[in-house]
Amino acid sequence: MGNCLSDVKGGKQAVGGVGHHMDPAGAAGGGNGAVVGGSNGAVDLFYRTKGLNALYIPIELSLSASKLRDLDIISKSDPIAVASIRKRDGTLEELGRTEVIMNNLDPVWDLKLKDQDFLGEASCVLSEIVTKCNRCLTLNLHGRHGHVRKNFGEITILAEEIVTSRTAVATTLRCTNLENKDLFSKSDPFLRISRIIETGGSIPICKIEVVDNNLNPIWRPVCLTMQQFVSKDNPLVIECFDFNSSGNHVLIGKLQKTVADLENMHKSRVGANFISQPSGFRGNEKVLKGQLFVERYAEKQLYSFLDYISSGFELNFMVAVDFTASNGNPRSPDSLHYIDPSGHLNAYQRAIMEVGDVIQFYDSDKLFPAWGFGGKAYNGTVSHCFNLNGSSGAFEVEGVGGIMAAYAGALQNFTLSGPTLFGHVVNKAAEIAVESLKYNHSKYFVLLIITDGVITDMQETIDALVRASDLPLSRSRQCRFFTDGGP
C-alpha cells in the first residue's frame, strides 16, 4: 500500500474506506475530494484485488415453473430451464442452465446440467425483474417464434443480489501527541488499516488520507464494510505513517484493535497508545505518547443500486457530446465523429448506445436531455451547451434512437470548434436535478460527458461538481478515445 500510488497528490488520497461504499449510485463527492477526469489506476487495482467493483452488481436468478406441458406418455415431463442473453446482433448466448427435475410439471430448479426437450420459452429484460418490489416476475411460456398456446404454462423468475453483508461501520478517527519524524516541519500523518488473517499475516483494507504538517490530526470519516473487516472480533492492525513523497513512509506507531474495541473506545472516550516498531538488540517495543481516539462510531446498513430502483427510483440519462475541433473533420474517415455509411458506429455512437441501452429500461418516459458543447453554429457563435436536437427550447429527445438521430443531425448543423469546457453542461444538468427535487420526484440523474480532449476549465468544472454534490446527480466522467496516434 505504501508505495503503490503513482503521484504525490494521488498518494495522499484515501483508499478503500471513504465514500466508495457509502454512495452506491456513484454521486459526486464534495469539498476537496472532487475528482474529474481519468481514474487513479492504483486505486482501481486496489478495489479489484479486494473484489470491490462498483460498476456491476452480481445477481442470482432463481427459476420455477407451473402448468407445464406433459410430453411424456407413461410419466410426466422432466423439465430443465436454460437462461440466455440476447446480444446486440439478436443472437442468443447461453448464461446457464438448471438441473433436470424428474416427473414434475411444476418444477423449482436449483443447479446446472445438460440439455433436454423443448417445453416452451419466454423472454424479458433484467430491469423488468429487479424493478419489481419483490424482484419476482411471472411470464407466460410460448412456443418457438412466438407461437402462443394456453397450455404452455408459466415460468417465475426471482432475482436476488449476491452480497456478503450489508453491515458497515462509519467512524471518524483522530490522534494526539504524535511523534515528529520531520526535521524542518511537522509530520504528515496518515493511517493504514489491515486485517489479520488466519495464517498470521495481514491484508490492507483501508488507507486514510494524509493530513499535512499536523501532530494532532483529525481524519475524514471512513466507512468499513463487514466484507473488509469480516467480523467485529477480527483483529485489525492500525498503523500511523509519516508521508514522504519518495514513497518511503516512516512508521510513527501502530496498535492492534478489533472493531468491537473501536466501538468501546468511542463509548468510553478513551484513547489507545501507539507502540513503536521493535528496535535494538533486544527488539523491545515501546509504548508511545501518541494516542488514537474514536471521535465517531456508527453501524449502518448499506443500500445498493437494486434497493433504490426496486423502491421506485428512476434513472434519468443525460448525455453531452464533445464538438471541439480536436475530434477531426467529421467528413474524414479518421475523425471520431465520422458517420460511416456502412452503419459501423463511431466511438461517440458506441458510448451512447452502450450506456443508454442499459439505463433506458429504468426510465419510465425515456425522454433524455442531450446536449453538445464546443460547437460553432451557422451564425459563428460558439456554444458550450447547445441542444443536440437543434431546438431553441426543448432539450429532450425520445429514446436512445432519438439521441443518435439528434447527434447525427447536429454534425450537419454545427462546426467543430472549442475549447473543451464542461462547466456549462454540469450546471445545466444540476438545474434539472434541482427542479426535480422541487416536485419530490424519486429520480437519479446520470450525466455522460463524452469527450476526446483535455478539460480546459478544470477549476470551473470542479466547482460545478462540488455545488452539485448534494444533488441526485452522478459524477461527470470523462471518456477518452484512442487512435493509433495517441489520445
Side-chain angles (χ1 to χ4, degrees), residues 80 94 97-100 111-116:
I80 180 176
E94 183 175 323
R97 57 182 60 208
T98 68
E99 83 281 19
V100 175
L111 308 173
K112 300 178 180 179
L113 205 64
K114 57 183 181 179
D115 197 6
Q116 291 291 325

Side-chain angles (χ1 to χ4, degrees), residues 481-487:
F481 306 116
F482 293 86
T483 62
D484 291 338

Side-chain angles (χ1 to χ4, degrees), residues 2-72:
N3 300 320
C4 72
L5 296 168
S6 57
D7 54 43
V8 174
K9 184 176 180 181
K12 290 186 175 183
Q13 293 176 0
V15 180
V18 179
H20 180 75
H21 299 284
M22 300 176 71
D23 187 1
N32 297 328
V35 178
V36 181
S39 60
N40 186 310
V43 174
D44 291 343
L45 175 62
F46 176 86
Y47 285 138
R48 288 197 300 272
T49 57
K50 299 295 175 290
L52 303 176
N53 194 333
L55 298 180
Y56 66 90
I57 297 175
I59 293 175
E60 183 177 71
L61 298 180
S62 302
L63 304 176
S64 62
S66 61
K67 304 175 184 177
L68 294 179
R69 290 185 299 161
D70 189 356
L71 298 184
D72 292 352

